[in-house]
Amino acid sequence: MKVINTIKEMQKLSDTLKAQGKKIACVPTMGYLHQGHLSLITRAKDFAEVVVTTLFVNPTQFGPNEDFERYPRNFERDCQMAESAGCDYLFAPDILEMYPIGFSCNVIIRNVTDKFEGERRPGHFDGVALIVAKLFNAVRPHASIFGQKDFQQTLVIKQMAKDLNFGIDIIIAPTMREPDGLAMSSRNTYLSKQEREDAIILFKALEEAKMAIDGGCRERKVINAIMHKTLRSVPQIKIDYASSALADNLDEPDTFLAGDRIVLLIAAYMGKTRLIDNSLVTIPKGK
Ligand code: PAF
């Protein structure tokens, strides 16, 4: 695996690979890789001969009181893990390469960013859309793979890629989970032993809601209340939101209909650590 640090070199490589008739898939990450990221790299191999993983902890997507400074970083470990998963190139620019002095652009995606993460983390999705647009312009891939774990982010990126005519296939890969159900995340390293044990309540709340839907529940508020009740069984948890919505546009009808594809979304604090998780469900017909 070769490490590339500049946009110019990345673009040149991309042009050369394309001239050789090779397909390129890109896996954007902020590093501190785990099995979830590795599954995205493996998945990328299904779409292209060449996989480029990007590693950049993007300051513009962190709020002023968020964890940019303490976000876990380990370049050597990331290189080894990416290579072991079959990554061909690691694009790892520094901050000035991505945001040189005088940088003044922004990318704002409306509507799909109005609620949930967009509401709780003002500016977060501007930063995500901006950096992903820049990474796309550096790597110029045919396809790019993102994890379902950041569900609203996947909607934002699909919208951005469509609106700005990137012509890149956006592929969403399922969330990888620990054996007890906790969604894999670089931020799980912040959890104390007790918080780590308690954190599986997010997965349990999603499962409870899914069971209720399987049992015939269609009322959005009732589904949300089931998630809240399960989450509150861990008194230390601070719920940010636990909501259900239509998966395509995050609309929130009072009642879901048979055949609707919905997403159950949770964000909650375990101590100082903010965790998110989600689950996709299709409302069954005939109940
Ligand atoms: O999901 C992430 O790790 C980040 O938001 C991304 C897409 C790499 C942009 O910085």
Side-chain angles (χ1 to χ4, degrees), residues 83-148:
E83 185 162 26
S84 74
C87 174
D88 301 290
Y89 297 93
L90 186 75
F91 176 53
D94 69 14
I95 290 204
L96 280 176
E97 182 68 11
M98 295 314 268
Y99 298 116
I101 307 294
F103 186 91
S104 19
C105 183
N106 201 0
V107 178
I108 297 170
I109 312 290
R110 286 186 284 269
N111 302 328
V112 79
T113 57
D114 286 350
K115 307 171 183 176
F116 309 125
E117 291 302 285
E119 193 182 353
R120 268 61 171 203
R121 303 181 67 191
H124 168 66
F125 285 129
D126 297 356
V128 170
L130 174 62
I131 195 63
V132 174
K134 283 180 67 72
L135 293 169
F136 283 176
N137 280 329
V139 179
R140 298 173 176 163
H142 297 87
S144 189
I145 327 293
F146 295 85
Q148 187 199 309

Side-chain angles (χ1 to χ4, degrees), residues 139-181:
V139 179
R140 298 173 176 163
H142 297 87
S144 189
I145 327 293
F146 295 85
Q148 187 199 309
K149 158 97 184 342
D150 293 286
F151 181 79
Q152 194 173 5
Q153 169 173 282
T154 67
L155 296 184
V156 170
I157 289 164
K158 277 188 200 161
Q159 189 74 50
M160 189 268 299
K162 180 167 168 259
D163 289 354
L164 298 184
N165 308 105
F166 272 103
I168 295 170
D169 290 333
I170 306 298
I171 318 284
I172 312 305
T175 303
M176 292 292 283
R177 297 183 179 280
E178 302 291 351
D180 64 359

Side-chain angles (χ1 to χ4, degrees), residues 27 78 129 178 216 248:
V27 179
D78 285 343
E178 302 291 351
D248 290 345

